[in-house]
Amino acid sequence: MVELPRRAVLGAAAMTSLGAVGSSAPGTATSQPVPQAGTLSLPTLEQLRRLTLPPVGALIYLSEAGREGWFRAASGPPPVSDPLEGLFVPTSGGHYVRLWDGVHGRPEWFGAIPNNGAVDCAPAIEACYALCPVTQLSQADYFNKRTLRLAQSWRTVQGVQGEAAEQGQGTRIVLSQQAPGVQRDDIVLIGTFEQPSHDHSRYPREIHIRNVTLIRDGDPAPHPSGDLRRSPAGLRIAHVERVTARDVISRESCLGFYIGGIVYSKLDDCLSIRTRSSATRANDIYAGFFLDGRISFGFAGGNASLYMNRCLAVGQGSGGKGSAGLIAQGAFVDSFIDQFESAGIASGMIFDAAGFRNPGQTVDLHIRNAILDGCSGTGISIDLDMTSGASIEILDLYIYAAGAGGDRGVAIFDGAGLVTMTGGQIHGDFRNGSVWLSRTRGVRLQGTKLHQASKPVVVTEASGLVLEPQINNVGKTSPEFAITCGALVRSIVRPVVIGAGGPSFRGGISLGPGSRHCHVDPTAVDPDSFGPPNPANKVWFNGTDARRSPTFASAGNVLSGVTD
């Protein structure tokens, strides 16, 4: 055993008498003493362990890099388990307790060595998280050889800065190349991967993570089953309540963020980036954000009250067909998505009810001010999968087709309910329709601006629609009508259609076979935008001028407003 010099004991005792000693219980704030001449400083944790216990209250300074700090001698065993000895160091006859503020702990105290790819920092980060209300990460890289698991309630993990592309720019948690599961494991898991057997009232809660970049140091590999929810995520948040993620950046994962089985949780200013192709091409779907609504845990949907604000997904060409900035499957109930942005990914947002049809599994969704740029697939795709009670708001979106064009701007199909799309803009050429509605009821399109489109609005087998878009082509000629409808029933069609720089469309509104009981008002359809200009092409019914069609009125349709 190492003997403590008497002079050091006296120095420590003097500081103790000044009230510098705090409780040995974790989470209790203590003031930091000021070093005095003659106090004992030990260079390693091992020497502190071997040190003969001085009088209770004596202070020792540990100078080992990363673990440095003041410790107080205390009697008896440590009050809580601390196997990595970040806060409590056992010794013969007692233990030493670290002096700290009782709130902010550091993984380095528990043995983490940042910026060293040979060291697995996951155990140290988890140990700090277990004992400290706030785990404070340094402006450095923490290499892990497995998933970092965070499941204790009332905890915060925070780094420095936000996005960090290079070492030293901010806090980065790296799933190391040396990790056996670098291609298939999650980088960070908040909660539990598998659904617990107990109900949600016992889920972990009040867990918060912010200002960190999560990096997979290898090519991601999708799950071989093709089940997207089992593909590796940068941050997986599952089976928890009241979780927040702010300024979290996920790089090089099949799923940037997985959200499933959560209650009242928020993502603010989070970013998913993927530039690498999968190690295996099969089932390679990239979702910047994946909302899993297929979990049943006592609520109407797979997530109960999810708020996403100013989140961004970037693809840079990675991921195969079916990839999107955001994908939601199942009952995506109470989802509020504001100012979401995607870029360089085939599709912006894909929603699939995936068989969740009964009245207890509602599909309500709120999308506001989305920016979906460079879409080669679909800007927003909503597959209602035969549901009848959908309630969806889409407000002031911005969609831009990829340079070679896209498939569809907004697609709503195979189900019904009440869907309202108000305002917003869709730019560029989407081959199958800037707005495509099929086998659906209850959709209202109001004031949405459709620019430079070959097929601005395409409708098949739909009813209960209100179509009031604003359509404009400048220097672009489409061989199609601005609005083409087949089997449209009990709906209102009242668009604005204009053009400039030459003929823009073949005509204004075309109602095809099976269209009945519709009210059509072409007042704001400008026949001068047609090629050639002709009022007879403002409204067609079954291929002829609706004004002169004997079957238009007999099918229960009404033509009003200015028709020439």
Side-chain angles (χ1 to χ4, degrees):
M1 303 292 287
V2 177
E3 296 296 332
L4 182 69
R6 176 170 174 77
R7 190 171 62 174
V9 172
L10 293 175
M15 286 184 282
T16 300
S17 68
L18 295 176
V21 178
S23 167
S24 65
T28 302
T30 61
S31 58
Q32 291 293 311
V34 178
Q36 294 186 7
T39 59
L40 181 64
S41 175
L42 299 178
T44 68
L45 180 67
E46 178 61 26
Q47 287 183 289
L48 182 61
R49 289 194 202 101
R50 293 169 49 216
L51 183 67
T52 300
L53 188 72
V56 171
L59 297 182
I60 311 295
Y61 187 77
L62 177 64
S63 59
E64 181 177 323
R67 291 182 178 269
E68 63 269 18
W70 288 98
F71 287 80
R72 176 175 61 84
S75 60
V80 296
S81 176
D82 182 9
L84 298 187
E85 303 176 8
L87 299 182
F88 303 99
V89 180
T91 190
S92 177
H95 67 281
Y96 298 99
V97 56
R98 179 183 293 274
L99 300 187
W100 62 306
D101 67 2
V103 177
H104 300 86
R106 290 188 172 273
E108 289 83 347
W109 298 348
F110 298 82
I113 303 178
N115 300 329
N116 187 334
V119 176
D120 183 6
C121 292
I125 297 174
E126 290 173 352
C128 183
Y129 175 84
L131 293 177
C132 306
V134 177
T135 295
Q136 178 64 58
L137 304 175
S138 300
Q139 190 164 328
D141 289 359
Y142 294 83
F143 290 89
N144 298 335
K145 296 183 180 180
R146 59 170 175 80
T147 299
L148 180 65
R149 298 175 178 269
L150 309 173
Q152 185 162 329
S153 299
W154 296 288
R155 289 291 187 268
T156 295
V157 175
Q158 64 184 23
V160 181
Q161 310 303 332
E163 182 182 2
E166 303 291 339
Q167 187 179 96
Q169 294 178 345
T171 300
R172 305 198 304 179
I173 297 175
V174 183
L175 187 59
S176 170
Q177 287 183 344
Q178 299 180 29
V182 64
Q183 294 181 334
R184 65 179 183 273
D185 288 350
D186 298 332
I187 300 175
V188 175
L189 168 63
I190 295 179
T192 59
F193 188 90
E194 300 295 342
Q195 185 170 356
S197 58
H198 53 74
D199 66 44
H200 67 87
S201 66
R202 295 167 58 193
Y203 282 4
R205 62 184 58 211
E206 294 292 351
I207 301 174
H208 311 284
I209 184 170
R210 54 180 177 251
N211 297 330
V212 294
T213 296
L214 313 178
I215 299 179
R216 182 179 308 277
D217 197 12
D219 299 332
H223 196 270
S225 69
D227 185 353
L228 192 57
R229 60 185 162 181
R230 303 191 75 84
S231 287
L235 176 60
R236 184 178 297 267
I237 305 176
H239 315 299
V240 288
E241 295 193 8
R242 300 183 69 87
V243 167
T244 63
R246 190 176 73 211
D247 284 312
V248 176
I249 292 83
S250 171
R251 301 183 68 100
E252 310 305 344
S253 289
C254 292
L255 311 179
F257 296 78
Y258 169 97
I259 313 295
I262 61 91
V263 180
Y264 191 72
S265 294
K266 302 177 182 180
L267 277 70
D268 294 325
D269 301 298
C270 292
L271 165 63
S272 175
I273 303 174
R274 182 176 167 191
T275 62
R276 293 177 175 178
S277 297
S278 170
T280 57
R281 291 286 183 177
N283 304 316
D284 185 17
I285 296 178
Y286 166 49
F289 297 79
F290 181 75
L291 313 185
D292 191 353
R294 296 171 293 177
I295 298 173
S296 297
F297 68 123
F299 291 93
N303 292 299
S305 296
L306 170 65
Y307 299 85
M308 294 178 58
N309 301 294
R310 301 173 304 279
C311 292
L312 168 64
V314 178
Q316 297 187 11
S318 60
K321 184 178 180 181
S323 297
L326 182 148
I327 297 177
Q329 295 180 348
F332 34 87
V333 59
D334 291 348
S335 299
F336 301 84
I337 304 171
D338 289 331
Q339 300 179 62
F340 179 84
E341 185 169 354
S342 73
I345 310 175
S347 295
M349 309 171 85
I350 297 176
F351 299 88
D352 181 359
F356 284 74
R357 301 168 184 161
N358 71 56
Q361 296 167 322
T362 57
V363 177
D364 67 277
L365 172 67
H366 311 260
I367 304 171
R368 294 174 287 212
N369 303 310
I371 299 174
L372 311 174
D373 202 2
C375 297
S376 60
T378 302
I380 297 179
S381 175
I382 302 177
D383 181 354
L384 296 174
D385 196 25
M386 307 311 295
T387 58
S388 58
S391 185
I392 298 173
E393 305 281 350
I394 305 173
L395 178 66
D396 289 341
L397 56 76
Y398 175 93
I399 298 175
Y400 209 105
D407 184 16
R408 296 175 173 92
V410 173
I412 303 170
F413 55 100
D414 286 353
L418 299 176
V419 181
T420 302
M421 186 161 67
T422 306
Q425 308 171 14
I426 302 177
H427 294 261
D429 199 354
F430 289 93
R431 293 177 293 276
N432 292 302
S434 295
V435 175
W436 182 76
L437 309 174
S438 180
R439 300 180 298 278
T440 189
R441 295 183 298 150
V443 176
R444 178 166 190 152
L445 179 65
Q446 188 172 26
T448 302
K449 302 165 184 64
L450 311 178
H451 293 275
Q452 305 302 93
S454 293
K455 297 180 179 180
V457 178
V458 177
V459 180
T460 61
E461 300 180 47
S463 63
L465 309 187
V466 178
L467 303 177
E468 298 178 319
Q470 298 172 252
I471 301 170
N472 182 28
N473 276 1
V474 178
K476 177 181 178 64
T477 300
S478 167
E480 307 289 340
F481 275 68
I483 297 179
T484 302
C485 303
L488 179 64
V489 177
R490 297 193 181 279
S491 297
I492 299 171
V493 184
R494 188 167 44 233
V496 172
V497 179
I498 61 174
S504 298
F505 302 100
R506 181 183 180 187
I509 303 163
S510 174
L511 301 186
S515 297
R516 54 188 173 84
H517 298 103
C518 293
H519 179 189
V520 181
D521 181 352
T523 299
V525 176
D526 182 5
D528 289 339
S529 65
F530 305 157
N534 185 358
N537 288 354
K538 289 187 74 168
V539 182
W540 271 19
F541 183 72
N542 290 337
T544 63
D545 185 353
R547 298 175 301 177
R548 296 174 173 80
S549 170
T551 57
F552 179 80
S554 65
N557 298 305
V558 174
L559 188 63
S560 68
V562 178
T563 60
D564 58 12

